[in-house]
DNA sequence: ATGGTGGATCCTCCA
């Protein structure tokens, strides 16, 4: 059995101590980070190595984006793809010794206006999702897990108020449709919702709320999916809401799942 | 309806 976690850290250099705290308290075998906001060579690895995370695969750039995979289990670099040709570090993959491939994604947020005619970034988000669909369709993944900040809350119970968010980027029908097409193309199973089918689930709360905990205007933007051949091995999903209350937190919290593989 | 916060870097962009 191994545990995998995904967390949009919003600067791994600023929050090195928070990463170390998660690794100490939860000890996932694999931690996938997004928004590292750092060139790979400047990611602080010593504290993570000291905790047993001796394996590391990442892509980065200065100031923006960036994805990394820290692992206690041996992994090898399984490449990346520049989805939508943006030149951003938003995807990296790793392979475990048992043959499982882990994809770590950071889907573009998409700006504020949900219209590709008025907002270039929204179109780029849709194009990114369309290319995910096409890649999964052309080469159907097997024995694969895909995690990350997908920047879409697909279900009505993945947001604090479905009706109020229908025109808010991250929950518009067109985004949900594009995400569903990518999910369907790979036959991906939403492991978090397989394990927790009922009830409101959030993994992100805005920095802009006066009191994020009391207002509780959250969204489930961070996901763990698996291909059908291994999806039933996934269990014990959880979202670590208290992490949002840590000192100088990320606006996202870790999402975890176990796999009996 | 609006503005609210946070991070990195450049003198503003992105979320």
């Amino acid at each position: 059995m191994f545990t995998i976690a995904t967390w949009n850290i919003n600067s791994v250099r600023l929050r090195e101590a928070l990463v170390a705290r998660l690794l100490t308290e939860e000890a996932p075998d694999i931690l996938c980070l997004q928004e590292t906001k750092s060139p790979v060579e400047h990611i602080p690895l010593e504290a993570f190595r000291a905790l047993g995370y001796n394996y590391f695969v990442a892509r980065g750039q200065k100031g923006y984006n960036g994805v990394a995979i820290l692992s206690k289990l041996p992994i090898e670099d399984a490449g990346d793809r520049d989805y939508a040709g943006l030149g951003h570090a938003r995807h990296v993959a790793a392979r475990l010794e048992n043959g499982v491939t882990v994809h770590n994604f950071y889907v573009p947020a998409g700006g504020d206006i949900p219209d590709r005619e008025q907002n270039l970034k929204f179109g780029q988000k849709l194009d990114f999702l369309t290319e995910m669909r096409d890649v999964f369709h052309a080469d159907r993944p097997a024995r694969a897990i895909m995690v990350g900040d997908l920047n879409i809350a697909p279900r009505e119970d993945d947001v604090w108020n479905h009706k109020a968010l229908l025109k808010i980027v991250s929950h518009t029908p067109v985004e949900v449709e594009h995400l569903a097409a990518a999910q369907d193309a790979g036959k991906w199973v939403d492991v978090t919702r397989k394990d927790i089918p009922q009830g409101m689930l959030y993994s992100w709360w805005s920095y802009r709320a006066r009191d994020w905990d009391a207002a509780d205007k959250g969204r489930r933007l961070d996901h763990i999916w698996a291909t059908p051949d291994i999806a039933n091995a996934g269990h014990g999903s959880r979202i670590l809401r208290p992490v949002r209350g840590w000192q100088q937190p990320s606006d996202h919290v870790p999402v975890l799942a176990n796999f009996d593989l």
Side-chain angles (χ1 to χ4, degrees), chain A residues 141-160:
Chain A
R143 278 182 82 74
I145 298 169
M146 93 133 216
V147 309
D149 176 5
L150 305 185
N151 265 314
I152 296 173
R155 292 177 28 153
E156 294 190 14
D157 51 4
D158 289 336
V159 295
W160 66 277

PDB file of all heavy atoms in Angstrom, chain A residues 141-160:
ATOM      1  N   PRO A 141      -4.522   5.757 -21.061  1.00  0.00           N
ATOM      2  CA  PRO A 141      -3.640   5.441 -19.939  1.00  0.00           C
ATOM      3  C   PRO A 141      -4.076   4.159 -19.218  1.00  0.00           C
ATOM      4  O   PRO A 141      -5.274   3.839 -19.165  1.00  0.00           O
ATOM      5  CB  PRO A 141      -3.779   6.658 -19.026  1.00  0.00           C
ATOM      6  CG  PRO A 141      -5.100   7.255 -19.388  1.00  0.00           C
ATOM      7  CD  PRO A 141      -5.318   6.972 -20.834  1.00  0.00           C
ATOM      8  N   ALA A 142      -3.102   3.446 -18.685  1.00  0.00           N
ATOM      9  CA  ALA A 142      -3.359   2.245 -17.893  1.00  0.00           C
ATOM     10  C   ALA A 142      -2.430   2.253 -16.693  1.00  0.00           C
ATOM     11  O   ALA A 142      -1.337   2.818 -16.741  1.00  0.00           O
ATOM     12  CB  ALA A 142      -3.118   0.991 -18.733  1.00  0.00           C
ATOM     13  N   ARG A 143      -2.885   1.645 -15.608  1.00  0.00           N
ATOM     14  CA  ARG A 143      -2.121   1.640 -14.357  1.00  0.00           C
ATOM     15  C   ARG A 143      -1.571   3.038 -14.074  1.00  0.00           C
ATOM     16  O   ARG A 143      -0.371   3.219 -13.830  1.00  0.00           O
ATOM     17  CB  ARG A 143      -0.980   0.626 -14.400  1.00  0.00           C
ATOM     18  CG  ARG A 143      -1.413  -0.790 -14.084  1.00  0.00           C
ATOM     19  CD  ARG A 143      -0.242  -1.768 -14.078  1.00  0.00           C
ATOM     20  NE  ARG A 143       0.527  -1.785 -12.834  1.00  0.00           N
ATOM     21  CZ  ARG A 143       0.101  -2.333 -11.685  1.00  0.00           C
ATOM     22  NH1 ARG A 143      -1.103  -2.879 -11.614  1.00  0.00           N
ATOM     23  NH2 ARG A 143       0.865  -2.325 -10.607  1.00  0.00           N
ATOM     24  N   ALA A 144      -2.478   4.005 -14.121  1.00  0.00           N
ATOM     25  CA  ALA A 144      -2.052   5.395 -13.978  1.00  0.00           C
ATOM     26  C   ALA A 144      -2.906   6.121 -12.938  1.00  0.00           C
ATOM     27  O   ALA A 144      -4.087   5.809 -12.745  1.00  0.00           O
ATOM     28  CB  ALA A 144      -2.127   6.124 -15.315  1.00  0.00           C
ATOM     29  N   ILE A 145      -2.253   7.057 -12.274  1.00  0.00           N
ATOM     30  CA  ILE A 145      -2.912   7.962 -11.335  1.00  0.00           C
ATOM     31  C   ILE A 145      -2.648   9.362 -11.844  1.00  0.00           C
ATOM     32  O   ILE A 145      -1.528   9.666 -12.257  1.00  0.00           O
ATOM     33  CB  ILE A 145      -2.349   7.783  -9.914  1.00  0.00           C
ATOM     34  CG1 ILE A 145      -2.613   6.367  -9.400  1.00  0.00           C
ATOM     35  CG2 ILE A 145      -2.945   8.820  -8.955  1.00  0.00           C
ATOM     36  CD1 ILE A 145      -1.860   6.026  -8.119  1.00  0.00           C
ATOM     37  N   MET A 146      -3.677  10.180 -11.841  1.00  0.00           N
ATOM     38  CA  MET A 146      -3.426  11.570 -12.191  1.00  0.00           C
ATOM     39  C   MET A 146      -3.989  12.481 -11.107  1.00  0.00           C
ATOM     40  O   MET A 146      -5.102  12.282 -10.629  1.00  0.00           O
ATOM     41  CB  MET A 146      -3.953  11.877 -13.586  1.00  0.00           C
ATOM     42  CG  MET A 146      -5.305  12.421 -13.711  1.00  0.00           C
ATOM     43  SD  MET A 146      -5.091  13.792 -14.828  1.00  0.00           S
ATOM     44  CE  MET A 146      -6.217  14.969 -14.234  1.00  0.00           C
ATOM     45  N   VAL A 147      -3.139  13.392 -10.676  1.00  0.00           N
ATOM     46  CA  VAL A 147      -3.506  14.280  -9.588  1.00  0.00           C
ATOM     47  C   VAL A 147      -3.197  15.710  -9.997  1.00  0.00           C
ATOM     48  O   VAL A 147      -2.484  15.950 -10.958  1.00  0.00           O
ATOM     49  CB  VAL A 147      -2.718  13.959  -8.290  1.00  0.00           C
ATOM     50  CG1 VAL A 147      -2.814  12.494  -7.943  1.00  0.00           C
ATOM     51  CG2 VAL A 147      -1.270  14.410  -8.387  1.00  0.00           C
ATOM     52  N   GLY A 148      -3.736  16.618  -9.213  1.00  0.00           N
ATOM     53  CA  GLY A 148      -3.313  17.991  -9.392  1.00  0.00           C
ATOM     54  C   GLY A 148      -4.386  19.016  -9.122  1.00  0.00           C
ATOM     55  O   GLY A 148      -5.517  18.695  -8.758  1.00  0.00           O
ATOM     56  N   ASP A 149      -3.950  20.261  -9.319  1.00  0.00           N
ATOM     57  CA  ASP A 149      -4.869  21.402  -9.261  1.00  0.00           C
ATOM     58  C   ASP A 149      -5.454  21.547 -10.653  1.00  0.00           C
ATOM     59  O   ASP A 149      -4.810  22.100 -11.542  1.00  0.00           O
ATOM     60  CB  ASP A 149      -4.114  22.656  -8.827  1.00  0.00           C
ATOM     61  CG  ASP A 149      -5.012  23.882  -8.837  1.00  0.00           C
ATOM     62  OD1 ASP A 149      -6.235  23.729  -9.096  1.00  0.00           O
ATOM     63  OD2 ASP A 149      -4.499  24.982  -8.603  1.00  0.00           O
ATOM     64  N   LEU A 150      -6.674  21.046 -10.833  1.00  0.00           N
ATOM     65  CA  LEU A 150      -7.315  21.098 -12.146  1.00  0.00           C
ATOM     66  C   LEU A 150      -8.100  22.392 -12.318  1.00  0.00           C
ATOM     67  O   LEU A 150      -8.640  22.662 -13.389  1.00  0.00           O
ATOM     68  CB  LEU A 150      -8.218  19.876 -12.335  1.00  0.00           C
ATOM     69  CG  LEU A 150      -7.513  18.519 -12.136  1.00  0.00           C
ATOM     70  CD1 LEU A 150      -8.479  17.376 -12.470  1.00  0.00           C
ATOM     71  CD2 LEU A 150      -6.252  18.410 -12.980  1.00  0.00           C
ATOM     72  N   ASN A 151      -8.167  23.192 -11.281  1.00  0.00           N
ATOM     73  CA  ASN A 151      -8.808  24.514 -11.317  1.00  0.00           C
ATOM     74  C   ASN A 151     -10.256  24.452 -11.804  1.00  0.00           C
ATOM     75  O   ASN A 151     -10.778  25.443 -12.356  1.00  0.00           O
ATOM     76  CB  ASN A 151      -7.978  25.500 -12.147  1.00  0.00           C
ATOM     77  CG  ASN A 151      -7.053  26.325 -11.260  1.00  0.00           C
ATOM     78  OD1 ASN A 151      -7.464  26.832 -10.224  1.00  0.00           O
ATOM     79  ND2 ASN A 151      -5.793  26.453 -11.658  1.00  0.00           N
ATOM     80  N   ILE A 152     -10.905  23.314 -11.608  1.00  0.00           N
ATOM     81  CA  ILE A 152     -12.331  23.163 -11.904  1.00  0.00           C
ATOM     82  C   ILE A 152     -12.966  22.358 -10.770  1.00  0.00           C
ATOM     83  O   ILE A 152     -12.417  21.333 -10.356  1.00  0.00           O
ATOM     84  CB  ILE A 152     -12.568  22.452 -13.252  1.00  0.00           C
ATOM     85  CG1 ILE A 152     -12.026  23.309 -14.410  1.00  0.00           C
ATOM     86  CG2 ILE A 152     -14.066  22.164 -13.462  1.00  0.00           C
ATOM     87  CD1 ILE A 152     -12.062  22.615 -15.755  1.00  0.00           C
ATOM     88  N   ALA A 153     -14.094  22.851 -10.294  1.00  0.00           N
ATOM     89  CA  ALA A 153     -14.916  22.137  -9.317  1.00  0.00           C
ATOM     90  C   ALA A 153     -16.117  21.588 -10.084  1.00  0.00           C
ATOM     91  O   ALA A 153     -17.044  22.329 -10.397  1.00  0.00           O
ATOM     92  CB  ALA A 153     -15.364  23.073  -8.207  1.00  0.00           C
ATOM     93  N   PRO A 154     -16.107  20.284 -10.425  1.00  0.00           N
ATOM     94  CA  PRO A 154     -17.078  19.800 -11.403  1.00  0.00           C
ATOM     95  C   PRO A 154     -18.502  19.597 -10.892  1.00  0.00           C
ATOM     96  O   PRO A 154     -19.442  19.743 -11.667  1.00  0.00           O
ATOM     97  CB  PRO A 154     -16.476  18.474 -11.881  1.00  0.00           C
ATOM     98  CG  PRO A 154     -15.548  18.041 -10.805  1.00  0.00           C
ATOM     99  CD  PRO A 154     -15.055  19.297 -10.144  1.00  0.00           C
ATOM    100  N   ARG A 155     -18.669  19.266  -9.641  1.00  0.00           N
ATOM    101  CA  ARG A 155     -19.998  18.872  -9.158  1.00  0.00           C
ATOM    102  C   ARG A 155     -20.676  19.990  -8.375  1.00  0.00           C
ATOM    103  O   ARG A 155     -20.026  20.882  -7.843  1.00  0.00           O
ATOM    104  CB  ARG A 155     -19.880  17.640  -8.253  1.00  0.00           C
ATOM    105  CG  ARG A 155     -19.458  16.415  -9.002  1.00  0.00           C
ATOM    106  CD  ARG A 155     -19.251  15.185  -8.155  1.00  0.00           C
ATOM    107  NE  ARG A 155     -20.000  15.052  -6.918  1.00  0.00           N
ATOM    108  CZ  ARG A 155     -20.316  13.883  -6.361  1.00  0.00           C
ATOM    109  NH1 ARG A 155     -19.982  12.744  -6.949  1.00  0.00           N
ATOM    110  NH2 ARG A 155     -20.962  13.844  -5.216  1.00  0.00           N
ATOM    111  N   GLU A 156     -21.986  19.908  -8.303  1.00  0.00           N
ATOM    112  CA  GLU A 156     -22.734  20.915  -7.538  1.00  0.00           C
ATOM    113  C   GLU A 156     -22.280  20.951  -6.088  1.00  0.00           C
ATOM    114  O   GLU A 156     -22.259  22.017  -5.457  1.00  0.00           O
ATOM    115  CB  GLU A 156     -24.240  20.637  -7.621  1.00  0.00           C
ATOM    116  CG  GLU A 156     -24.804  20.819  -9.013  1.00  0.00           C
ATOM    117  CD  GLU A 156     -26.326  20.788  -9.043  1.00  0.00           C
ATOM    118  OE1 GLU A 156     -26.955  20.883  -7.964  1.00  0.00           O
ATOM    119  OE2 GLU A 156     -26.879  20.665 -10.153  1.00  0.00           O
ATOM    120  N   ASP A 157     -21.930  19.777  -5.563  1.00  0.00           N
ATOM    121  CA  ASP A 157     -21.494  19.722  -4.160  1.00  0.00           C
ATOM    122  C   ASP A 157     -19.979  19.876  -4.016  1.00  0.00           C
ATOM    123  O   ASP A 157     -19.419  19.582  -2.969  1.00  0.00           O
ATOM    124  CB  ASP A 157     -21.991  18.448  -3.474  1.00  0.00           C
ATOM    125  CG  ASP A 157     -21.671  17.188  -4.247  1.00  0.00           C
ATOM    126  OD1 ASP A 157     -20.988  17.274  -5.299  1.00  0.00           O
ATOM    127  OD2 ASP A 157     -22.086  16.107  -3.803  1.00  0.00           O
ATOM    128  N   ASP A 158     -19.340  20.358  -5.087  1.00  0.00           N
ATOM    129  CA  ASP A 158     -17.922  20.712  -5.021  1.00  0.00           C
ATOM    130  C   ASP A 158     -17.721  22.213  -4.833  1.00  0.00           C
ATOM    131  O   ASP A 158     -16.584  22.688  -4.862  1.00  0.00           O
ATOM    132  CB  ASP A 158     -17.206  20.301  -6.309  1.00  0.00           C
ATOM    133  CG  ASP A 158     -17.055  18.788  -6.449  1.00  0.00           C
ATOM    134  OD1 ASP A 158     -17.077  18.084  -5.426  1.00  0.00           O
ATOM    135  OD2 ASP A 158     -16.908  18.322  -7.600  1.00  0.00           O
ATOM    136  N   VAL A 159     -18.823  22.949  -4.710  1.00  0.00           N
ATOM    137  CA  VAL A 159     -18.747  24.398  -4.491  1.00  0.00           C
ATOM    138  C   VAL A 159     -19.755  24.799  -3.411  1.00  0.00           C
ATOM    139  O   VAL A 159     -20.753  24.116  -3.197  1.00  0.00           O
ATOM    140  CB  VAL A 159     -19.045  25.205  -5.781  1.00  0.00           C
ATOM    141  CG1 VAL A 159     -17.981  24.963  -6.833  1.00  0.00           C
ATOM    142  CG2 VAL A 159     -20.426  24.879  -6.324  1.00  0.00           C
ATOM    143  N   TRP A 160     -19.487  25.920  -2.785  1.00  0.00           N
ATOM    144  CA  TRP A 160     -20.327  26.350  -1.663  1.00  0.00           C
ATOM    145  C   TRP A 160     -21.722  26.754  -2.120  1.00  0.00           C
ATOM    146  O   TRP A 160     -22.677  26.678  -1.346  1.00  0.00           O
ATOM    147  CB  TRP A 160     -19.657  27.485  -0.895  1.00  0.00           C
ATOM    148  CG  TRP A 160     -19.508  28.764  -1.682  1.00  0.00           C
ATOM    149  CD1 TRP A 160     -18.527  29.072  -2.575  1.00  0.00           C
ATOM    150  CD2 TRP A 160     -20.385  29.897  -1.651  1.00  0.00           C
ATOM    151  NE1 TRP A 160     -18.737  30.318  -3.115  1.00  0.00           N
ATOM    152  CE2 TRP A 160     -19.858  30.856  -2.549  1.00  0.00           C
ATOM    153  CE3 TRP A 160     -21.548  30.205  -0.942  1.00  0.00           C
ATOM    154  CZ2 TRP A 160     -20.464  32.096  -2.770  1.00  0.00           C
ATOM    155  CZ3 TRP A 160     -22.151  31.446  -1.161  1.00  0.00           C
ATOM    156  CH2 TRP A 160     -21.612  32.364  -2.065  1.00  0.00           C
TER     157      TRP A 160
END
